Amino acid sequence: MPRALPLVLALTLATPALADGDAASGEKVFRKCKACHQVGEGAENRTGPALNGIVGKAAGTAEGFDYSSALQDAAADGLVWDEASLSAYLAKPRDFLKGTRMSFAGLRKEDDVADVIAFLKTHP
Ligand code: HEC
């Protein structure tokens, strides 16, 4: 069995139906992320990695960013930031990835999660 399979299964079970998000609202939600992340033209790594093209991207691949070993291990196990994994991570970063360096409590509202993902999709 591939090593990433238990993670994938856990995600499938833990993630309720994913709502289609609203990118305009998501841009407002992204203000909470801006303390640490940039996205869009010329985005650079700051406290957190640049997030261009993050939806559908393999985790831990922003060039030159010093990821936690927790994130590096998950990346080695094949973690990809699809809507399911992103939703779980953004709702509760530390539950999803024990030892993550992202010191962010998480987005409590499901709509905010869906909206911010929709916004991130507008920056492929
Ligand atoms: C206090 C700073 C901080 C805030 C606020 C923050 N992040 Fe992060 N984020 C980080 C750090 C640091 C990492 C690297 C985590 C690691 O290495 O474990 C990260 C990693 C990520 C990753 C994984 C990137 C990759 O290349 O694998 C995503 C996706 C992400 N953050 C999205 C968000 C979004 C969306 C928000 C807002 C809802 C947010 N973050 C808020 C600091 C932050």
Side-chain angles (χ1 to χ4, degrees), residues 29-37 45-51 54-55 57-63 65-72 75 79 81 86 89-91 93 97-107 112-113 116-117 119-120:
V29 177
F30 192 73
R31 288 182 193 148
K32 297 185 179 173
C33 323
K34 273 187 176 166
C36 303
H37 289 285
N45 298 332
R46 295 291 178 197
T47 304
L51 294 178
I54 196 71
V55 185
K57 195 178 182 186
T61 50
E63 213 169 297
F65 187 80
D66 183 23
Y67 289 98
S68 64
S69 44
L71 202 142
Q72 289 180 36
L79 177 64
W81 292 124
L86 266 178
Y89 186 49
L90 298 179
L97 202 64
K98 223 175 160 42
T100 182
R101 198 170 282 157
M102 172 151 131
S103 0
F104 178 66
L107 295 171
D112 284 357
V113 172
V116 84
I117 291 173
F119 168 69
L120 289 170

Side-chain angles (χ1 to χ4, degrees), residues 3 17 22 55 62 65 94 111:
R3 287 204 297 159
D22 176 71
V55 185
F65 187 80
R94 287 186 175 126
D111 281 357

